[in-house]
Amino acid sequence: MFTLAVGTLCLAWPGPAARAQTVEPGPSGSGVRVEIVDGKPRYTNRLIESKSPYLLLHAHNPVDWFPWGDEAFDKARREGKPLFVSVGYSTCHWCHVMEQESFSDPAIAAIMNEYFVCIKVDREERPDLDRVYMSYLQTAIGSGGWPMTLFLTPDLKPFFGGTYYPPDDRAGRPGLRTLFRQVHQAWTTGHGQLLQTAEKSTQLLSSHVRAAVGATKPGQPVLDQIYQRTRTSYDATYGGFGKAPKFPRPVVFNFLLRYYARTGDKAALDMTVASLRAMAGGGIHDQLAGGFHRYSTDASWHVPHFEKMLYDQAELAISYLEAYQITKETYFADVARDILDYVLRDMRGPEGGFYSAEDADSAIEKGRPEHAEGAFYVWSADQIRQVLGDERAAMFDLYYGVTPSGNVPAQQDVQGQLKGRNVLIVQQTPAQVAARFGKSESDVRALLTAARRELSAARAGRPHPPLDDKVLVAWNGLMISAFARAAQVLDEPRYAEAARTSAVFIESRMYDSRTGLLKRRYRDGSADIDAVLEDYAFLIQGLLDLYETSFEVKWLSWAVRLQERQDALFWDKGGGYFATRAEASHVLVRMKDNYDGPEPSANSVAAMNLLRLSQVTDRKDWRDKADATFAAFAERLGSQGTALPQLAAALDFSLSKPKQIIIAGEPGAADTKAMLRLVHERFIPNKVLLLADGGAAQKQLAGWLSVIGSLTRTNGRATAYICEDFVCRLPTSDPATAARLLDGTWKPDSKQ
């Protein structure tokens, strides 16, 4: 016997149970239909009506799955059964494993259908639900992840949970068969205790969102404290922060680069630059076709978890762009282009919306059912030699660390699927390869470029990882920011057009101009699911960046309208924003997200949006809301600030004297572009950028910020007005003077 404790509930588990005989699932009146295809049963359940790629993966399980909603809850109350809720997403490797091992098994499905009302949730469609129950799980067992396995009362209160479970007992932990039977026994014989556990769990969740009474906005010492704590977690050997598994967390780079700009502490820059270099040279970076995988399973960025997420591409592109602005090293600009071109090629829909993710798993070979994680991306030495020939393969192998026996350590090959394979990682410089083979460095660089192109073409013939083609407003908002910022920094019009096209897609397909409301997800011709806070916040950020790229006031105007709608829907009078609307149905607790993880938290982005918009509109209520947000999370900023680096970056903006940079000039004119280029080539994090075009757009801007109405060109030339706290220096049409003003080196006695 062994025990597994969660909260105040402790269930006793017997040893491994005998494997149950295969039986048909559920009663005939369930939502599962069975037909015989080629002599085998083929099941179809009610998830077949879903638009979610993740739910559709389970549409042919023998499990009587329900989507989240009244039908499932009513059935649970009517039959007195607990809810079994499985949460995941379409590119989640272990979600696939659990689906194949357990949910496709009619015997396990029979147990599920008899004892529970079973619900599938796509965490990417419903981050509000995922956030609530992940918070419960992390509190109950000290960790979390996906697939998330939950047991709830019919009124949605959690009493037990975990992550991945095998079908049968393994290594001292229960399998699903055992788990289901024991939870059923506890529900029938210890019902009162389970209800008490569920009630206590719910009360604990509710306590997490209470605002700290009397808190005030933190000051500079908190930023210093967060910086010092971040330094202690830095991996000086491999770059990045913390231990394996190691996530990129661009939010940390956002904070560090702003801290460097504020203080001049070069270590903040050095840690960022070293980490970005290490990641770009590692296996987490797709060396052939671009883009980054989700995280590294080891500390050295060597063996990734191979799925590719849209939000990672967006955030990392900005990190590399900012590193380029500061260092002027084209290496970082090249990596940013690599990311963005990958997204344009492989993750963009025909109407301009960006898809969500590419899977980690794919078929090992065409025509074979076996799948493996990373099968699309890894190489044997022989495969490389067949494409490149002996001499070129030898140079390529040296540069990318390819060995005949494979370069994946056994401990990183958890499922034994990568044996004899190589993950491409940069191990040498072109100069070192050139010296080894008696070539010129330029010849080696040309060889590597050609080899990558040829191997990428060869790889394209392999079974491609499945694409999650749903369009999410939040992640598209992040991508709009990335393309808009890239258009500024790299002076690349096609990136500006990509940002604009995505915004047009959301406006036309996922936004109701009459109500001002967004839908979160678009797929297969329809937009569904009410948008949550992160959709509004991330899109507003994207629109602000898009305005500073195109200077089309319509995007700024839409950002203002969305901010007003966000305030009405999500603002908490105690400070900060709730993740969901007050009227959202079937949400146990209205959470206030504040963890900046692989994605920034919506409150962190919202705080920065409020500050930027207040600079554009001179609205005090938005400055006050930003301060109230900092106050609401002041306690956590002080005690666990390294978990909130994006919020710390917003606080840095708040504590600075932001620049209002206004260029008076004709849109598209050469002298206007030259002035804008001075701004875009510099890293000036705490600023807003406006264009006074002398026409209708300037008049509209003056409706928000009156001072802009009187600004004009001098001597018929584009003129820069560089201001702090709405106090402007003398205008200048001289680029050299404008540059000194931007750099803070101009003095009153300087000559133009």
Side-chain angles (χ1 to χ4, degrees), residues 662-669 671-672 691-694 698 711-713 717-719:
I662 305 168
I663 307 299
E666 293 183 8
D671 57 349
T672 303
L691 179 68
D693 66 353
Q698 184 170 348
L711 304 185
T712 61
R713 294 181 294 162
R717 297 166 60 191
T719 302

Side-chain angles (χ1 to χ4, degrees), residues 57-284:
L57 286 172
H58 297 77
H60 294 292
N61 294 161
V63 179
D64 189 12
W65 289 117
F66 288 80
W68 185 268
D70 283 325
E71 187 180 6
F73 309 145
D74 291 345
K75 178 179 172 67
R77 285 190 286 267
R78 188 170 60 250
E79 298 181 4
K81 292 180 178 180
L83 298 167
F84 169 71
V85 180
S86 178
V87 184
Y89 56 102
S90 69
T91 57
C92 164
H93 172 72
W94 289 102
C95 299
H96 291 314
V97 173
M98 206 163 172
E99 188 275 330
Q100 294 161 8
E101 288 181 337
S102 298
F103 301 143
S104 294
D105 186 331
I108 293 178
I111 300 171
M112 296 170 67
N113 296 341
E114 181 179 358
Y115 293 154
F116 308 102
V117 174
C118 302
I119 296 176
K120 262 288 166 193
V121 174
D122 183 338
R123 69 168 295 263
E124 293 173 353
E125 289 193 340
R126 296 300 305 267
D128 51 342
L129 301 177
D130 180 70
R131 189 173 291 111
V132 169
Y133 294 111
M134 186 59 71
S135 295
Y136 156 74
L137 195 62
Q138 290 170 334
T139 300
I141 66 174
S143 63
W146 300 278
M148 181 161 47
T149 300
L150 298 160
F151 296 90
L152 316 180
T153 66
D155 56 357
L156 313 184
K157 297 176 181 178
F159 62 84
F160 192 83
T163 53
Y164 164 78
Y165 287 90
D168 297 298
D169 303 348
R170 292 180 193 167
R173 64 173 296 172
L176 275 181
R177 299 175 200 276
T178 301
L179 179 64
F180 288 144
R181 291 190 174 108
Q182 292 297 321
V183 171
H184 170 68
Q185 182 180 0
W187 180 260
T188 54
T189 62
H191 191 69
Q193 182 186 359
L194 290 186
L195 294 181
Q196 290 178 11
T197 297
E199 187 62 36
K200 289 180 180 178
S201 298
T202 304
Q203 291 174 1
L204 187 60
L205 283 171
S206 298
S207 71
H208 288 170
V209 298
R210 293 173 190 152
V213 178
T216 58
K217 182 176 80 172
Q220 173 68 35
V222 166
L223 299 180
D224 297 334
Q225 182 184 78
I226 294 171
Y227 173 60
Q228 293 302 329
R229 290 177 178 173
T230 301
R231 286 190 69 170
T232 63
S233 67
Y234 176 64
D235 183 344
T237 302
Y238 299 114
F241 300 87
K243 300 178 181 178
K246 192 179 283 184
F247 287 79
R249 284 192 78 199
V251 288
V252 178
F253 306 140
N254 293 345
F255 167 70
L256 287 175
L257 293 181
R258 281 148 187 80
Y259 191 84
Y260 166 72
R262 166 182 285 271
T263 66
D265 190 325
K266 195 167 182 296
L269 174 62
D270 291 343
M271 287 188 290
T272 300
V273 167
S275 298
L276 292 174
R277 283 189 182 280
M279 290 191 302
I284 193 174

Side-chain angles (χ1 to χ4, degrees), residues 463-508:
H464 204 281
L467 175 69
D468 182 339
D469 61 354
K470 66 178 181 289
V471 176
L472 298 176
V473 167
W475 296 1
N476 271 252
L478 294 175
M479 206 71 241
I480 290 169
S481 284
F483 276 111
R485 296 279 302 279
Q488 298 169 21
V489 176
L490 303 177
D491 195 18
E492 180 54 78
R494 64 192 179 97
Y495 292 158
E497 182 58 24
R500 185 182 183 281
T501 305
S502 176
V504 169
F505 175 84
I506 294 170
E507 184 182 32
S508 62

Side-chain angles (χ1 to χ4, degrees), residues 707-723:
V707 67
I708 200 173
S710 61
L711 304 185
T712 61
R713 294 181 294 162
T714 58
N715 302 319
R717 297 166 60 191
T719 302
Y721 295 80
I722 300 171
C723 320

Side-chain angles (χ1 to χ4, degrees), residues 338-408:
D338 165 278
I339 296 169
L340 297 169
D341 291 347
Y342 154 71
V343 171
L344 287 177
R345 184 183 64 248
D346 292 345
M347 297 190 74
R348 189 187 192 197
E351 295 181 84
F354 296 106
Y355 297 143
S356 293
E358 286 193 298
D359 210 319
D361 295 20
S362 57
I364 296 174
E365 292 179 9
K366 286 184 176 180
R368 290 179 55 183
E370 298 91 344
H371 282 60
E373 181 176 3
F376 182 74
Y377 298 100
V378 296
W379 295 84
S380 69
D382 284 342
Q383 289 173 325
I384 293 172
R385 191 175 299 108
Q386 288 170 10
V387 175
L388 300 180
D390 290 346
E391 183 181 15
R392 291 199 302 158
M395 287 185 276
F396 184 90
D397 291 352
L398 179 63
Y399 185 77
Y400 282 113
V402 175
T403 70
S405 59
N407 66 9
V408 178

